[in-house]
Amino acid sequence: MEIKFTEENLKKLERSKSHYPTNDAALMDALWLAQYQFGWLSADVMKYVGSLLEIPYEHVLGVAEFYTMYNKKPVGKHHLQVCTNVSCMLCGGYDVVDYISNKLDIGLGETTPDGKFTLIEAECLGSCGTAPMMQINDYYEENLTKDKIDAILDKLAKTE
Amino acid sequence: MSDFEPIILRNIPDFHNIEVYMKNGGYGAFKKALKMTPEAIIEEVKSSGLRGRGGACFPTGMKWSFMPQKTDKPKYLCANGDESEPASFKDREIFEKNPHQFIEGTLIACHAMGIKTAYVYIRGEYYPWIVMLQKAIDDAYSKGLIGKNIMGSGFSTDIFIHRGAGAYICGEETALLNSIEGKRGMPRFKPPFPANFGLWGCPTTINNIETLANIPPIIEKGGEWFSKIGEPKHAGTLLYGLSGHINKPGIYELPSGTLLTDLIYKYGGGVKDNKAIKMIIPGGSSMPPLTADEIEGLRMDNEHLKTVNSYIGTGGIVVMNEDTDIVKVIKRITKFYYHESCGQCTPCREGCGWMLKILDRIDKGMGRNEDIELLRDVANNIEGNTICAFGDAAAWPVKWAIKKFMPDFEKKVKESVNLPVANKVHALRLAVQE
Ligand SMILES: Cc1cc2nc3c(=O)[nH]c(=O)nc-3n(C[C@H](O)[C@H](O)[C@H](O)COP(=O)(O)O)c2cc1C
Ligand code: SF4
Ligand code: FES
């Protein structure tokens, strides 16, 4: 696959660059765009992003590695990020992890063989008042119960 | 629910909508501010007694007055919406329920400090709220409230969102600057302070989202009016967050100095299953925890919390019932700090790892008699010995939990020291397998 931003993403990147006095500052936005388009940040993707902004690959890599939300390896289509920090832990965050882990038969950091789900443990997601909760890709699922988790996962399993 | 009239989370349906906001007087304070001199605005904020809501409680008016008025360099404002301190979820509520009051406060701040560019730093996970705020910003641009020569005043300013990507440390103000510059979010040495040498070496002010959302009512109704709300030394309302073992978790905007017991029992509906309280975290995971004995009569503001050796922090209150395993909770919190340390300072980087290791073995029934003392030593060696306040944030929960909940630690250590040897070997095996 050729690594190249879509026209739309190139436009978005230009807009982002116009917000800052330096190209470097647009790097985080550029990495987000890349992650949305390519799914994860491979070395080739990072090199491409670096070339667009005239930033050395080593710098791009350093930034990508610093921030946990940039995926440095492929993840499943639905990235289940369950909060287990203090408020969620008190409300059953670890039970949610165990329940999903058993249901999908994967451990933390693992992906189902069909590539649909990856399960990870997350730090506080700022949703402590609606614990326990998880983030799935860009969205939050809050006040989780077993029934609710079943419904969410069943629905996601059916989507292409 | 509350007999108090909130000033940020107003009880007006669809207040997030710009038309509704403007119909209720929104952007009136900004219009008023445009006719005021920068000095007069800063004086008004000073007289209000407003203190930063990001955790450090620094007086906002004073912070603004540190910005040089005359300089050849561009100046910047950074609105801090990183909100990653565990148990904090208030700024998100502002993005959702009243984004325009925050935008208006940002515009007033820019005018007061002669700033032409403001960045709103928002944690990457808050994508849905980034979308909400961006919509509000776009609407304000299309009404001519942001941009060039705003309402013919000659004042121009832009507001841009900078999306983070998962790093608690980026909430620390100098790490946030590096992150906006597109670098790794490593805190910088201070001095130089951001007011003189911030973004790209230019004068910069960093304020929390809630801090800025307080500005429009201060300009509209005056600093004196604001200074009379709540506890005088910590004026205004606070967006208290209730979570943990509580019947009605959520964000409650109330005057500073509200009784903790009122927060828990009157607003929060009491402890789940009517249990007794064991421990309370008063303002985000970094703040020294409280015992049940310290709750009665305690007012929730920075001054009063100091009397029980703690602070208000972000106002995120975690309630834990009598069955809570304190060692497990502190271990989980420490795991967070271990994960989030940026690694620049040895005491923080190594210390967090050590504390986690010791807490883990105490928790798993393999603690040694000398472990509690060792744990306290490590925490003391982190505190005050690091580039940024993260070190203190990591050390405090451990240090104060040991001090206030010693019997809980001792009990676990004693149990493990008395464990038959065979059990210990078994526990060790399990730990290794993990
Ligand atoms: C480790 C660490 C994390 C922080 N996280 C945040 C945060 O998420 N949001 C915030 O407003 N302030 C945070 N702060 C405080 C900021 O450094 C800064 O004091 C604050 O944004 C200033 O705004 P204020 O004066 O309006 O409170 C953090 C500080 C430290 C040491
Ligand atoms: S105290 Fe910790 S987080 Fe702060 S600069 Fe040092 S290593 Fe980084
Ligand atoms: S502790 Fe889970 S969202 Fe805050």
Side-chain angles (χ1 to χ4, degrees):
Chain A
M1 183 182 66
E2 195 197 358
I3 294 173
K4 193 173 179 310
F5 270 161
T6 58
E7 281 304 313
E8 199 195 338
N9 277 345
L10 284 171
K11 246 187 245 150
K12 282 187 183 162
L13 183 60
E14 282 312 307
R15 186 164 353 119
S16 177
K17 275 159 74 178
S18 74
H19 295 171
Y20 306 100
T22 66
N23 268 1
D24 286 31
L27 174 57
M28 290 187 69
D29 275 349
L31 289 174
W32 274 119
L33 292 173
Q35 182 153 308
Y36 282 117
Q37 185 175 330
F38 307 110
W40 65 290
L41 303 175
S42 64
D44 287 339
V45 167
M46 286 191 253
K47 279 178 194 150
Y48 171 71
V49 168
S51 73
L52 283 180
L53 295 171
E54 293 165 37
I55 299 173
Y57 167 68
E58 290 68 29
H59 180 79
V60 178
L61 180 67
V63 169
E65 286 191 331
F66 187 84
Y67 297 94
T68 51
M69 291 186 81
Y70 293 133
N71 299 325
K72 275 74 70 181
K73 50 180 202 194
V75 295
K77 192 158 178 275
H78 308 291
H79 198 194
L80 312 177
Q81 302 155 73
V82 183
C83 175
T84 57
N85 211 306
V86 60
S87 308
C88 286
M89 170 188 181
L90 296 169
C91 298
Y94 280 103
D95 297 338
V96 172
V97 170
D98 288 346
Y99 187 73
I100 297 179
S101 170
N102 283 331
K103 189 174 161 95
L104 298 177
D105 198 20
I106 48 173
L108 286 171
E110 292 175 6
T111 302
T112 51
D114 61 3
K116 279 216 158 142
F117 296 100
T118 300
L119 175 65
I120 66 163
E121 185 182 353
E123 293 300 351
C124 174
L125 291 161
S127 213
C128 331
T130 41
M133 60 80 62
M134 66 174 149
Q135 179 172 22
I136 306 181
N137 299 347
D138 280 338
Y139 292 91
Y140 282 21
E141 293 289 354
E142 305 172 280
N143 294 313
L144 295 174
T145 58
K146 283 181 182 160
D147 287 347
K148 199 163 171 187
I149 297 168
D150 284 342
I152 292 165
L153 296 187
D154 291 350
K155 196 170 146 215
L156 290 179
K158 283 190 201 110
T159 59
E160 261 327 295
Chain B
M1 180 195 70
S2 156
D3 35 14
F4 169 78
E5 191 59 44
I7 61 177
I8 297 177
L9 302 176
R10 306 267 302 269
N11 297 317
I12 300 172
D14 295 325
F15 205 53
H16 64 276
N17 178 305
I18 193 164
E19 304 293 345
V20 178
Y21 184 71
M22 291 182 79
K23 222 174 267 163
N24 285 280
Y27 290 104
F30 177 43
K31 284 176 197 155
K32 182 174 171 186
L34 282 175
K35 296 198 188 93
M36 292 165 72
T37 62
E39 293 78 14
I41 299 174
I42 294 178
E43 271 318 305
E44 206 62 56
V45 176
K46 275 188 182 164
S47 73
S48 75
L50 174 66
R51 287 173 180 270
R53 303 294 196 239
C57 299
F58 195 84
T60 306
M62 196 195 293
K63 185 184 266 189
W64 290 10
S65 69
F66 294 156
M67 285 287 272
Q69 284 291 352
K70 290 196 176 56
T71 166
D72 303 333
K73 291 181 179 170
K75 292 187 261 188
Y76 297 101
L77 177 71
C78 299
N80 191 344
D82 190 53
E83 187 149 84
S84 304
E85 165 100 355
S88 315
F89 50 106
K90 66 188 178 70
D91 296 334
R92 149 185 167 177
E93 198 86 353
I94 298 176
F95 294 141
E96 185 167 334
K97 307 252 169 74
N98 196 355
H100 287 290
Q101 192 166 316
F102 157 69
I103 294 170
E104 186 175 4
T106 301
L107 288 167
I108 296 169
C110 286
H111 176 53
M113 290 179 274
I115 291 169
K116 292 198 174 67
T117 310
Y119 295 104
V120 189
Y121 190 96
I122 307 184
R123 64 179 299 180
E125 295 88 345
Y126 274 2
Y127 178 76
W129 293 273
I130 290 174
V131 172
M132 290 178 215
L133 183 69
Q134 189 61 57
K135 161 92 171 73
I137 291 175
D138 292 346
D139 289 347
Y141 264 105
S142 57
K143 293 249 184 238
L145 293 161
I146 316 178
K148 297 248 155 0
N149 188 20
I150 301 170
M151 295 180 287
S153 65
F155 169 65
S156 306
T157 201
D158 282 305
I159 302 180
F160 303 121
I161 294 178
H162 187 94
R163 182 180 182 187
Y168 164 63
I169 193 58
C170 290
E172 194 281 334
E173 56 184 20
T174 59
L176 180 140
L177 298 177
N178 280 340
S179 187
I180 292 180
E181 290 181 10
K183 300 174 183 150
R184 292 180 299 165
M186 301 279 206
R188 302 174 180 175
F189 279 100
K190 287 190 273 192
F193 290 96
N196 289 310
F197 196 90
L199 272 182
W200 300 288
C202 302
T204 304
T205 290
I206 299 106
N207 273 133
N208 172 257
I209 304 297
E210 183 187 344
T211 308
L212 291 165
N214 271 301
I215 300 299
I218 290 174
I219 296 304
E220 189 195 331
K221 297 181 180 157
E224 202 191 317
W225 163 82
F226 188 87
S227 72
K228 297 206 171 103
I229 304 171
E231 155 65 34
K233 286 189 181 153
H234 196 168
T237 65
L238 291 175
L239 268 53
Y240 296 105
L242 285 176
S243 65
H245 297 139
I246 185 102
N247 281 320
K248 291 196 273 173
I251 298 290
Y252 296 87
E253 183 182 2
L254 291 162
S256 72
T258 296
L259 284 170
L260 179 53
T261 43
D262 277 356
L263 276 158
I264 297 170
Y265 296 102
K266 186 170 158 195
Y267 299 100
V271 183
K272 263 189 209 162
D273 305 321
N274 263 324
K275 297 212 171 188
I277 292 173
K278 172 121 190 184
M279 177 161 99
I280 299 258
I281 294 174
S285 63
S286 308
M287 297 303 135
L290 313 177
T291 63
D293 295 341
E294 289 169 323
I295 298 169
E296 202 52 50
L298 182 64
R299 297 196 169 273
M300 292 297 280
D301 60 74
N302 216 37
E303 292 306 309
H304 285 101
L305 274 164
K306 280 184 199 164
T307 64
V308 284
N309 296 301
S310 195
Y311 305 97
I312 192 69
T314 61
I317 301 164
V318 188
V319 179
M320 293 170 232
N321 71 20
E322 55 193 312
D323 305 330
T324 307
D325 183 333
I326 301 298
V327 174
K328 266 204 184 1
V329 167
I330 298 298
K331 175 176 127 182
R332 180 61 187 89
I333 290 175
T334 303
K335 186 176 164 208
F336 166 77
Y337 291 104
Y338 171 67
H339 182 245
E340 299 295 330
S341 166
C342 86
Q344 270 189 108
C345 327
T346 315
C348 173
R349 185 188 60 236
E350 302 295 323
C352 289
W354 266 16
M355 291 196 301
L356 180 59
K357 227 183 196 160
I358 303 168
L359 282 161
D360 190 48
R361 69 177 179 243
I362 296 177
D363 179 43
K364 289 192 173 131
M366 289 180 294
R368 308 168 192 148
N369 279 325
E370 62 277 16
D371 271 350
I372 302 175
E373 206 40 54
L374 185 60
L375 193 55
R376 195 189 347 231
D377 262 7
V378 179
N380 282 335
N381 280 321
I382 301 175
E383 189 181 350
N385 291 324
T386 55
I387 295 174
C388 86
F390 179 105
D392 297 353
W396 285 346
V398 172
K399 175 178 150 176
W400 286 98
I402 294 177
K403 201 170 179 120
K404 293 186 177 182
F405 296 89
M406 186 57 128
D408 288 77
F409 286 82
E410 280 174 345
K411 190 165 160 249
K412 274 213 170 175
V413 169
K414 242 184 234 124
E415 272 169 7
S416 71
V417 172
N418 297 334
L419 226 55
V421 176
N423 282 2
K424 269 198 196 173
V425 172
H426 179 65
L428 190 66
R429 255 201 219 115
L430 286 179
V432 170
Q433 280 169 3
E434 273 186 19

